[in-house]
Amino acid sequence: MDPVSLALPLGLGLVLAATAGLRAFFPLFLVSALGWTGAVELSDSLSWLASPAATLCFASAVFLEGAADKSPFVDHFVDSAGTLVRPAAGALVGTSLLAGASPLVAMVFGLGAGGAIAGMTHVGKASLRAGSTATTGGVANPVVSVVEDVAALGVGGIAALVAAGAL
């Protein structure tokens, strides 16, 4: 795979990995939907992400994650689980988009860049959430969650539109 043809999948992978640090399942849903519609090519080993069943499962997970993140006390559990889930989602997103690269390169990129970026974004999100909880007793957490939703939808949505050739 030549460097020019790697630019879009690498960029998309990095942006969606960062989005995974906010919402684990939204970028997986986007990759699944983009793969299903043929807007992006997924790596052979992760082509199952492009199935209608995977897209539906990720859509359901997006809804459940968003609802749970707005529920007092449940949001803390979601953030705790996110410490493992969000970097894994970032790694999966990064790896899946490198269809023409060798599996080793795709895995190294996915784990090294995708997982790390999602993890760093999650640490920032968790720190903001801890500050919100400490200063407002958790009352502001649903508002912070909506801001996170808007950021994830905006950044992820723009990245998906670019990948699909709509922008």
Side-chain angles (χ1 to χ4, degrees):
M1 198 171 197
D2 66 275
V4 174
S5 62
L6 271 176
L8 182 62
L10 285 173
L12 182 61
L14 292 174
V15 169
L16 291 180
T19 304
L22 296 174
R23 294 287 177 262
F25 297 105
F26 181 61
L28 289 169
F29 166 72
L30 288 176
V31 166
S32 183
L34 288 168
W36 182 28
T37 61
V40 298
E41 182 182 355
L42 301 180
S43 64
D44 289 338
S45 61
L46 295 171
S47 61
W48 60 268
L49 286 169
S51 71
T55 304
L56 181 60
C57 286
F58 288 129
S60 299
V62 167
F63 174 77
L64 293 172
E65 181 184 25
D69 199 50
K70 287 156 192 62
S71 303
F73 303 110
V74 176
D75 63 337
H76 296 297
F77 174 75
V78 170
D79 271 345
S80 295
T83 302
L84 296 174
V85 174
R86 290 184 177 124
L92 184 59
V93 164
T95 302
S96 70
L97 292 168
L98 295 180
S102 76
L104 176 63
V105 169
M107 185 56 68
V108 168
F109 173 76
L111 291 173
I117 288 173
M120 289 186 296
T121 305
H122 172 68
V123 167
K125 166 197 164 55
S127 298
L128 176 67
R129 189 62 68 93
S132 169
T133 299
T135 58
T136 69
V139 173
N141 286 358
V143 174
V144 172
S145 179
V146 169
V147 170
E148 294 164 357
D149 289 344
V150 169
L153 289 170
V155 172
I158 289 170
L161 289 172
V162 167
L167 288 181

